[in-house]
Amino acid sequence: MDGRQDSDHLPGTMLPTTEIHHRSVSARKGSFSKDTKTEDTQSCGCIYQTLRRALIVMQVCGAAHSLPWIRSPMQSKCPWSPSKIYAIVVLVVVLHNPVRFFTVYDQSDLSGFQGFFLLKILFHAWYVINSINALLMFKLFNDSDKMKRFFAIHDSIRQLYDCGPKRFINRRSTIAIVVTLSFFAFNTIGYVFSMFTTPEFFYIFAGSLTPFHRLPWATTSVPLKLLFCVNHIFATAMWLLPIMLLLIICFLIVNMEVTFNKKMASHLSDDGTFTGDLSEMRTQFLRICDIIETANEMFQNFFGFNIVIIIFNTCIAVYALANSTWLETNLYTAVFVLFWISNSLLALLILSYGAGIINDKAYEFIGVLHRIRRVDFSKGDEFELNMFLAKLNGPSIGFSAFDLFTIDKPSIMTVFGMVLSYLLFMVELSNGNSGSSSCPLSAVNATANATSP
């Protein structure tokens, strides 16, 4: 690549400026016809094909609406499309859960952090994070400027070189969808099973029927249970589907970073001579940084809220499990708490790994820059190399939580080390006070037995 570009081409892309302008104007106007829809779909290229199945699943569950590359004249004049109305209904259903769940608490919970009270806190926190995810996803698809910018930058980068095998990306996307739907089905079946079968399971989930759970007919009303099962399906969708979408977007970004790193390495000869155009490569890297920054703007609040709630839920579940008598007297409760801990840690691992690998790959090629021989460098090449290094030595590249800190690989071990330290501390505290009746953990078993039917 000689780095020379025609004047009618956008810097850093192989697309003519007139074509970029035509596409951007078409996207802003939201023009739609049979030909325009085909053109917009084709302009999204691989990213449309990769995200199409995931977004269809999200639309079915009300977690997505108003796809940015499909907008009809009717939607331009009246923004209330059927998918958006359906998403608003689902949003209202999900948002009412943390509010109604305040009615589940009673006088027995005033005694402190004890058995059944801990389960109520777990459920309440879970409803809170589902509501937050629902709001964030609705805002993301309702105000789709950031998503449009993400798609535009991605498509312009793909014009430069093939960003990896398409089948490989689609295979990973399919795996993410299948795994997510498997967890979705398992969680839904477990809830339905708890509603309609053994009382040991039902007493754990009985609070989810609030504010009707204290009525004598509520525990035997099949229509009421079915209604709350549907409600639970929407809540589960808001818990799992945003993580699925984020994971697929991480696959796309990492794939671009890996392709760029390989291209940088291919331009470095054995004697340290760089055969490529540093100006062109830096422009491409800046566009990759742009797409990472855009994705971070889309998901930084999602990362922040989910990490906080997941760590909180994990600590509560570990506190509840620290008393070994749960395993001896109430196996169903112990299995439920263990399931909650494993799901929380898995979700935390997925979020941390997806963000951490993006940060890691963004700096992987820095060794190539340090091995470049500068003997025959012109002032322009020296400037480009220094600007390259300055970008890498500047603010961290990657996803952040609340824009407070960038999530990298060390942060994964930091979070898991904190959770593990808390677990060991609670186990040691429980063992050291096993013979003391004054220990607050000793009341867990008594409360669980008192609340079970």
Side-chain angles (χ1 to χ4, degrees), residues 89-135:
V89 173
V90 174
L91 178 64
V92 172
V93 170
V94 175
L95 286 179
H96 95 286
N97 285 327
V99 177
R100 71 177 177 83
F101 208 78
F102 278 107
T103 62
V104 79
Y105 302 103
D106 51 33
Q107 294 294 327
S108 64
D109 300 322
L110 298 178
S111 57
F113 288 141
Q114 299 180 4
F116 200 34
F117 179 54
L118 297 175
L119 299 181
K120 295 176 183 179
I121 294 178
L122 286 175
F123 264 106
H124 206 164
W126 185 70
Y127 282 135
V128 169
I129 192 59
N130 294 338
S131 300
I132 293 174
N133 288 348
L135 279 173

